[in-house]
């Protein structure tokens, strides 16, 4: 794997682990809970992706650097963070957006490497980006935020389409990855700074059945 | 695979996707949430089944028609459905029962094709039928309906037993599948039209531990 | 597998299945719900472990004794248990602790058998011990208890470290397993009888983002 993408992947892992650890702190979990939520947020999406593709043992079993980083991140968050508001400002969302962009491209790459078609690559990219946060929310007994609001998953879908589209146009794989990451990032940043959301599909009547 | 069973499988996929999309609409999710809920309801059970059996990449990675159908169904539901009550009447439940019957037999078939024993085939058939809806309910922050009420999973179990039993009696595989599908369907329809449920196992005292 | 560890594993499966069936009874589930909760509590952790390691078909597909035992246990709980308080006293917690100790060592063993490194073995041991209960709690719409309180997962982590440490010191595999099981058990019993918990990581301010 390209060294730059690997470094960006580790960066995204740390950012996502922080977001999981903070969610655990808000529910007053014990240190094990903090570890679990940091872990599922950071590598939950990639784990489900690998299980679906049959890419087992999953990536963090083979490369344990992810696991060490998550443990270190969770520990530092517990020791150092007292005021989570500082970690939920715009700059943290920008860091999260970078992680999202990298995860999306890595997920799409891996699907293609396993012979999947473009639509599956888009799905796997999106899954890698958003499913960790979804599992975190379910463990916190919340309807996953990503299903309800903001331009988040949409940025992943667009990034996956950019990536597979660029490859279909015979672009160089590294160039395609860069285009897709920038596309995901820009769209997500637009979502953060504009505050816009997609319109909800709202059914008012709860059916009896 | 038999053309008839394949067509019935696609029919069940659409019906289950509609049920997932409606659940998303009731929670006022955005379009991505509608897609996710349509998808997990339609193929969630088969995905877990394939991951447990080691049948990876899972079926919809190989045959992307399922994915396209789910995307199309979710889109049409968002565009067309304004009055979900029409989609929760008895006829929709009958369509759902047909999907349930097909999913059950396909799940049991796949387990046997992977060398599993009859009891596992019954489990995998049931899992294919009901687990998608269970994941949908968890994402909607509800205790899965199928665990609490109605003759639903019971119909799958009966269908799985019919299928493996018919094969044990040396019946033709197609005949066994038809018998099992009809058995599942009849039992489920009985549940729908009689309104009967299995008795609950109710413990009153919430223990301290 | 060593006969003693196999017997202890079956014992743990029964105890965990009872705990799942009781949770189903408290939510007034139907018999299928009781089966499902007994099953996920008993083998949910090992199933996720096997899917992550690529040890598929997962263990209970190959050795159906686990499935029969869970079905029998769930049935007996429904028929016999009327007063769950008796099954939540200290002696049931001790039985649960024995199951936890065995599951931890078996999970770590399996990870090592698949070529995983020690830190992954510790994780897989812990996952085998606690994830079934976590899935049970999610299906019951509760934030998993193990993430919030008590010396439970901590005992698994300590047991996994003892096991991989003993092997690193060239101890005999059976001796290492015994040491690790006793270590897990003692630490968990200390948690039960002392009532001590780890300090929570509590963030008061729910951030706006």
């Amino acid at each position: 794997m390209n060294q730059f993408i690997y470094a960006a992947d580790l960066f995204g892992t740390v950012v996502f682990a922080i977001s999981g650890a903070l969610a655990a702190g808000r529910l007053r979990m014990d240190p094990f809970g903090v570890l679990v939520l940091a872990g599922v947020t950071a590598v939950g999406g990639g784990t489900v992706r690998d299980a679906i593709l049959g890419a087992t043992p999953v990536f963090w079993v083979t490369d344990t650097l992810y696991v060490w980083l998550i443990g270190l991140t969770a520990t530092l968050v517990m020791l150092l963070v007292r005021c989570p508001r500082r970690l939920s400002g715009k700059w943290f969302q920008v860091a999260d957006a970078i992680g999202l962009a990298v995860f999306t491209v890595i997920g799409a790459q891996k699907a293609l490497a396993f012979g999947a078609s473009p639509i599956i690559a888009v799905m796997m990219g999106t899954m890698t980006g958003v499913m960790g946060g979804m599992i975190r929310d379910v463990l916190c007994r919340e309807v996953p935020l990503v299903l309800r609001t903001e331009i988040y998953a949409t940025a992943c879908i667009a990034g996956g389409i950019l990536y597979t589209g660029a490859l279909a146009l015979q672009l160089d794989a590294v160039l395609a990855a860069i285009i897709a990451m920038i596309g995901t990032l820009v769209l997500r940043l637009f979502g953060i700074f504009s505050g816009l959301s997609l319109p909800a599909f709202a059914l008012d009547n709860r059916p009896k059945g």
Side-chain angles (χ1 to χ4, degrees), chain A residues 90-153:
Chain A
K90 286 273 189 285
W91 74 263
F92 185 76
Q93 289 188 48
V94 172
D96 184 274
I98 297 172
L100 190 73
V102 181
F103 281 22
T104 300
V105 170
I106 289 177
Q109 272 183 339
K110 191 151 194 179
L112 295 176
F114 273 75
S117 55
I119 189 177
I120 301 295
V122 174
M123 284 179 68
M124 292 296 156
T126 306
M127 195 178 273
T128 309
V130 307
M131 195 172 267
M134 283 175 59
I135 304 175
R136 176 199 62 206
D137 291 347
V138 165
L139 288 175
C140 293
R141 212 176 55 178
E142 289 172 13
V143 175
L145 197 67
V146 69
L147 301 177
R148 304 185 77 167
T149 62
E150 292 185 28
I151 298 168
Y152 196 95

Side-chain angles (χ1 to χ4, degrees), chain A residues 11-154:
Chain A
F11 173 81
T13 302
V14 169
V15 175
F16 276 44
I18 292 174
S19 125
L22 293 178
R26 286 195 286 273
L27 285 178
R28 299 165 173 272
M29 291 185 177
D30 71 8
F32 176 71
V34 178
L35 275 173
V36 168
L37 261 76
V40 298
T41 309
V43 298
T47 303
V48 175
R49 175 202 64 210
D50 284 359
I52 284 174
L53 291 174
T56 51
V58 306
F59 68 102
W60 48 265
V61 170
T62 317
D63 181 354
T64 56
L65 183 51
Y66 293 92
V67 177
W68 291 109
L69 261 185
I70 291 167
L72 183 68
T73 303
T75 307
L76 288 178
V77 168
M78 282 187 275
L79 293 177
L80 301 178
V81 177
R82 286 294 163 266
C83 178
R85 244 171 298 183
R86 254 187 240 159
L87 275 169
S88 53
K90 286 273 189 285
W91 74 263
F92 185 76
Q93 289 188 48
V94 172
D96 184 274
I98 297 172
L100 190 73
V102 181
F103 281 22
T104 300
V105 170
I106 289 177
Q109 272 183 339
K110 191 151 194 179
L112 295 176
F114 273 75
S117 55
I119 189 177
I120 301 295
V122 174
M123 284 179 68
M124 292 296 156
T126 306
M127 195 178 273
T128 309
V130 307
M131 195 172 267
M134 283 175 59
I135 304 175
R136 176 199 62 206
D137 291 347
V138 165
L139 288 175
C140 293
R141 212 176 55 178
E142 289 172 13
V143 175
L145 197 67
V146 69
L147 301 177
R148 304 185 77 167
T149 62
E150 292 185 28
I151 298 168
Y152 196 95
T154 312

Side-chain angles (χ1 to χ4, degrees), chain A residues 97 100 146 148-156 158 184-192 194-199:
Chain A
L100 190 73
V146 69
R148 304 185 77 167
T149 62
E150 292 185 28
I151 298 168
Y152 196 95
T154 312
C156 298
T184 311
L185 186 58
V186 167
L187 195 50
R188 175 66 193 127
L189 292 179
F190 171 77
I192 294 172
S194 72
L196 288 183
S197 286
L198 294 182

